[in-house]
Amino acid sequence: MGFLSSILGVLGFGIGLPFGLVLGFFLFVYSKPKDVQDPVVRPLRELDTEALQDILPELPLWVKCPDYERVDWLNKFLVDMWPYLDKAICATIRSTAQPIFAEYIGQYKIEAIDFEHLTLGTLPPTVHGLKVYETNEKDLVMEPAMKWAGNPNIILVLKVMSLPIRVQLVDLQISAAPRIALKPLVPTFPCFANIVVSLMERPQVDFGLEIMGGDIMSIPGLYLLVQEAIRKQVASLYLWPQTLDIPVLDASTVAVKKPVGILHVKVIRAIKLMKADILGLSDPYVKLSLTGEKLPAKKTTVKKKTLNPEWNENFKLIVKDPGSQVLQIQVFDWDKVGGHDRLGMQMIPLKVLTPRERKEFTLDLLKHTNISDLQDKKRRGQVVMELSYVPFKEDSGKFNDNSDADSGGKASGSDQSSDDIETLSGAGLLSVMVLGAEDVEGKHHNNPYARVLFRGEKKKTKMMRKTRDPRWNEEFQFMLDQPPLHERIRIEVISNTTGFRFRSRESLGQVEINLGDVVHNGRINQKYHLIDSKNGVIHVELRWSTV
């Protein structure tokens, strides 16, 4: 019976196979194709809860969050640039990994570590939305929502006791929301000095790991253990507020030097000055300036008809780099008509000064700075001066108001430390940076400039032609003997005509800023609405630094 059933099975297979092939052929040839129906498109509001829960994780952020922008152009850019980015990123990974690998060679019987294959594959990351933040600082901050389901080919070979062990990364998937800041913005291409990256939440990373052809991630419990270890490691390095700083430009080429101290100069006297004219005596005065500064030089009063003048006059100059700046001293003979004759000059490098120590100098005046030139051996006299360099305190402008009650229940706001009292009573520097304005509009013309008025001084920015949104980025400085706790600074925006008109000047608005807030906080960077302007706004940064 078993033999008979076997024979019948063979015959059935032999007859059924050709019959099925012939039947399938005729059905394929003579059957009519059906029209492909378009998928049913339904708005989200018509979906039930279960369907929404299934589809929402796959929706891009620009659909769910209105503050994220759709950036299809950026994804197209990534697709076109990915072959080149792949090579550049892999080259960076190799150069970074080589020193790390070198540390393990010789340990644990490891003889060599190297990449056998290293490529990120053909699939670039996809940006599902981009949020851009507007800040008052000189930076550009954005948050892209990125997902990457890549096909990388990364094989690492470890040679242990002459046995090669291959470790391969497969099926890599990453979902992350980094914050990328380009700062500071500088006037040197590519116009930002650093890229600062931080993660706003822990990234989702999924991958497989094969060793010698076997997937070790299939071992029970190992997958979750590795996932958690990666999340913790990445979070400890780059989760906000931790950052990854990528320098783009050399700091020395883009550094904007800020004031670091004040140079106190006392011009005491001059001795045996030379005569500028054949007949009569000289009318000398001294001009002081620091190298690397475009500020007007400081001048003493003119002493009439003397070759041994006594001044005893004090001056303050702003120092930005005490290691390289030089004080230039020039003695002139004042004349009513024509240019003033220079009687002599001298220079003092600030690096010879000890901070907060007063030092007296008696200097022989020279014709010029080329001291090796022996053509002019005339004695030009001497000048006697006292110098002291006083650096600003670190965080000197910030005053911490301890207004909270202490543990005993007594208010401690009236108890100020000696440093705080000195901060509120010492000399310092008020820096006013006029960055720009927005929506300033005149009735007759729009050529705005800003004018800063403080303690009777007037300083103004350059004029910007035919614009409602000028960008000045100009800084003005005021050296004060006392902090301006109860004073205000006035900033006006004015339009000036560039041709002949009946109204040559027009006010576009003004603002008065209370400087007490600047003294207590050390720095204020804020936009102010202009008075007498419909929508005008001015952006100002103020700093207070004490010595």
Side-chain angles (χ1 to χ4, degrees):
M1 191 68 182
F3 176 75
L4 180 61
S5 63
S6 299
I7 294 296
L8 292 175
V10 171
L11 291 175
F13 178 78
I15 296 172
L17 179 61
F19 178 77
L21 290 174
V22 172
L23 181 62
F25 173 75
F26 279 98
L27 289 174
F28 175 76
V29 171
Y30 293 103
S31 62
K32 294 182 179 181
K34 296 181 180 180
D35 295 333
V36 178
Q37 296 181 354
D38 294 331
V40 178
V41 179
R42 299 168 58 190
L44 292 177
R45 64 177 178 271
E46 295 182 4
L47 299 178
D48 56 18
T49 303
E50 185 176 352
L52 279 175
Q53 290 177 351
D54 292 337
I55 197 174
L56 280 178
E58 304 303 324
L59 292 177
L61 275 176
W62 58 266
V63 175
K64 298 183 285 186
C65 303
D67 52 346
Y68 277 85
E69 297 182 11
R70 185 175 180 176
V71 284
D72 291 341
W73 63 270
L74 182 57
N75 290 318
K76 181 62 170 61
F77 172 81
L78 289 174
V79 170
D80 294 340
M81 288 293 295
W82 186 245
Y84 308 97
L85 291 173
D86 177 23
K87 293 181 180 179
I89 294 172
C90 290
T92 304
I93 293 174
R94 285 184 182 273
S95 61
T96 305
Q98 287 301 329
I100 300 175
F101 292 164
E103 295 179 1
Y104 290 93
I105 295 177
Q107 301 181 15
Y108 312 108
K109 305 295 183 180
I110 298 176
E111 300 176 4
I113 307 176
D114 201 0
F115 288 105
E116 183 177 291
H117 295 286
L118 178 56
T119 175
L120 301 181
T122 59
L123 302 176
T126 303
V127 181
H128 288 259
L130 179 67
K131 182 194 294 185
V132 179
Y133 291 91
E134 181 180 356
T135 67
N136 291 339
E137 306 297 335
K138 294 181 179 180
D139 57 10
L140 175 63
V141 181
M142 50 190 169
E143 287 185 6
M146 306 179 67
K147 291 185 179 181
W148 183 32
N151 56 346
N153 184 15
I154 303 176
I155 301 178
L156 187 67
V157 178
L158 291 83
K159 195 172 183 181
V160 181
M161 300 179 65
S162 301
L163 176 67
I165 300 176
R166 287 177 171 80
V167 181
Q168 184 176 8
L169 182 69
V170 296
D171 299 331
L172 178 63
Q173 297 185 36
I174 299 176
S175 177
R179 174 174 290 177
I180 302 174
L182 310 179
K183 65 179 184 180
L185 301 180
V186 295
T188 304
F189 191 80
C191 300
F192 56 90
N194 298 282
I195 301 176
V196 182
V197 182
S198 59
L199 297 174
M200 304 312 296
E201 58 186 27
R202 293 192 179 190
Q204 301 296 324
V205 182
D206 192 5
F207 62 92
L209 200 62
E210 295 183 357
I211 297 181
M212 303 295 290
D215 187 4
I216 65 168
M217 301 303 288
S218 60
I219 299 175
L222 182 61
Y223 176 79
L224 295 177
L225 182 64
V226 173
Q227 287 279 351
E228 187 62 24
I230 292 176
R231 288 196 187 99
K232 287 183 177 180
Q233 184 65 21
V234 173
S236 65
L237 293 175
Y238 307 123
L239 190 64
W240 189 89
Q242 305 295 328
T243 61
L244 170 64
D245 293 352
I246 305 173
V248 177
L249 295 176
D250 186 4
S252 61
T253 62
V254 299
V256 178
K257 293 182 178 179
K258 295 290 184 181
V260 295
I262 294 178
L263 177 66
H264 295 264
V265 181
K266 182 177 182 180
V267 182
I268 301 175
R269 69 178 70 88
I271 304 170
K272 296 181 181 179
L273 295 176
M274 67 177 295
K275 295 181 180 179
D277 302 320
I278 298 176
L279 300 176
L281 300 175
S282 297
D283 300 328
Y285 70 92
V286 179
K287 183 186 290 188
L288 305 171
S289 62
L290 281 174
T291 57
E293 287 290 343
K294 298 180 181 180
L295 299 174
K298 305 286 187 179
K299 298 179 183 179
T300 66
T301 57
V302 178
K303 299 297 182 181
K304 297 288 187 177
K305 298 180 181 181
T306 178
L307 299 179
N308 297 281
E310 291 272 351
W311 285 289
N312 292 310
E313 297 180 15
N314 294 289
F315 301 92
K316 297 177 182 177
L317 291 88
I318 299 169
V319 179
K320 292 184 177 179
D321 188 358
S324 64
Q325 283 187 292
V326 175
L327 175 65
Q328 295 179 328
I329 306 157
Q330 301 180 80
V331 182
F332 287 89
D333 176 34
W334 181 84
D335 289 322
K336 288 184 179 180
V337 182
H340 301 174
D341 298 322
R342 189 167 71 181
L343 303 178
M345 67 168 299
Q346 190 54 269
M347 305 180 77
I348 303 177
L350 300 191
K351 62 183 179 182
V352 303
L353 301 175
T354 302
R356 296 185 175 85
E357 288 187 11
R358 184 173 295 274
K359 187 174 183 180
E360 184 174 308
F361 293 86
T362 301
L363 307 170
D364 293 325
L365 294 174
L366 307 174
K367 182 179 181 180
H368 43 61
T369 56
N370 186 7
I371 59 177
S372 61
D373 187 359
L374 302 178
Q375 294 181 2
D376 188 355
K377 297 183 179 180
K378 294 181 180 179
R379 295 184 61 85
R380 297 178 172 271
Q382 296 177 317
V383 61
V384 181
M385 315 183 70
E386 282 185 0
L387 273 68
S388 65
Y389 166 61
V390 184
F392 293 136
K393 297 179 182 178
E394 296 183 3
D395 299 327
S396 59
K398 187 171 183 179
F399 169 63
N400 296 320
D401 186 9
N402 300 319
S403 58
D404 296 335
D406 57 19
S407 59
K410 297 180 181 180
S412 57
S414 59
D415 298 331
Q416 298 178 4
S417 66
S418 59
D419 290 340
D420 295 335
I421 295 173
E422 189 175 356
T423 297
L424 295 177
S425 61
L429 177 70
L430 176 66
S431 299
V432 182
M433 173 72 80
V434 184
L435 299 170
E438 300 173 9
D439 293 330
V440 290
E441 185 174 5
K443 295 181 179 179
H444 305 282
H445 42 73
N446 267 17
N447 304 305
Y449 67 90
R451 184 169 64 179
V452 181
L453 298 92
F454 181 64
R455 288 190 176 181
E457 292 188 60
K458 296 181 181 180
K459 300 182 180 183
K460 64 179 184 178
T461 67
K462 58 182 177 293
M463 183 180 69
M464 308 296 290
R465 298 185 50 160
K466 297 181 180 180
T467 178
R468 295 177 56 189
D469 304 304
R471 293 291 178 267
W472 295 295
N473 291 314
E474 294 190 36
E475 186 174 9
F476 306 102
Q477 295 161 340
F478 303 89
M479 281 185 292
L480 309 176
D481 293 328
Q482 294 291 331
L485 278 171
H486 306 291
E487 297 184 67
R488 292 175 174 265
I489 191 168
R490 180 183 177 90
I491 303 176
E492 302 174 344
V493 180
I494 302 171
S495 175
N496 200 6
T497 182
T498 57
F500 177 77
R501 291 192 181 185
F502 179 72
R503 291 180 176 271
S504 61
R505 185 178 298 175
E506 182 179 355
S507 175
L508 305 183
Q510 67 275 342
V511 65
E512 289 190 355
I513 303 173
N514 184 4
L515 296 179
D517 297 336
V518 183
V519 175
H520 284 81
N521 293 282
R523 174 179 178 266
I524 289 181
N525 187 353
Q526 192 171 333
K527 291 183 178 180
Y528 299 89
H529 290 280
L530 292 170
I531 303 173
D532 298 332
S533 175
K534 184 177 180 181
N535 299 309
V537 174
I538 189 167
H539 186 186
V540 182
E541 179 183 346
L542 300 104
R543 292 177 180 269
W544 171 250
S545 305
T546 58
V547 296

